[in-house]
Amino acid sequence: MKIGINARFLTAPFTGIGQYTRSLVQTMAKIEPKNEYILFTPELVDINLPDNCKQIRVAEKPYRSASMRKVHWEHVLVPTEMERFEVDLAHFLYPSNPRRKLPMPTIVTVHD
């Protein structure tokens, strides 16, 4: 199975979601080595990833507003790339899933 992950917070490794992202990806890759994990990030991150993980840089568009760059990245660019890579499952590690329905099952993690 090919699993696409919004791994934006790998770029902020000392935040809670950043640590969660790194730990979750490394654990899932170890538990289910037959799966392929595609991590979508706005910048490439120097991180030791298992062999069944691939990091894909999805560059933000140069909007003046940081909020607009982030929202466009989350709701348009990443879902488009997930479709292009034909992922079987989309996982958004914080409430950043697009409003439009994606052609694959979607999981959203909501942190308390």
Side-chain angles (χ1 to χ4, degrees):
M1 178 181 288
K2 192 184 298 184
I3 300 172
I5 300 173
N6 172 345
R8 179 181 191 89
F9 279 87
L10 283 179
T11 63
F14 300 110
T15 65
I17 297 175
Q19 292 177 27
Y20 170 76
T21 301
R22 182 179 36 79
S23 294
L24 180 71
V25 167
Q26 290 174 334
T27 301
M28 287 190 318
K30 185 189 304 183
I31 292 172
E32 290 295 335
K34 67 182 180 291
N35 291 338
E36 178 183 359
Y37 301 92
I38 302 175
L39 313 175
F40 297 96
T41 57
E43 298 294 332
L44 292 179
V45 178
D46 186 18
I47 184 173
N48 186 18
L49 292 171
D51 291 338
N52 55 341
C53 295
K54 175 174 28 175
Q55 188 180 171
I56 302 295
R57 179 176 184 252
V58 180
E60 291 180 334
K61 296 296 179 193
Y63 293 108
R64 289 185 191 200
S65 163
S67 296
M68 188 64 187
R69 284 191 304 269
K70 182 176 182 284
V71 166
H72 184 257
W73 188 86
E74 293 169 339
H75 293 268
V76 176
L77 299 177
V78 169
T80 299
E81 288 300 299
M82 287 182 173
E83 289 180 65
R84 189 170 76 83
F85 277 86
E86 299 179 336
V87 301
D88 300 307
L89 179 72
H91 191 173
F92 296 88
L93 300 180
Y94 59 100
S96 61
N97 54 306
R99 296 184 70 132
R100 70 180 172 92
K101 181 167 174 40
L102 296 178
M104 73 285 291
T106 302
I107 297 171
V108 179
T109 299
V110 179
H111 302 269
D112 60 352

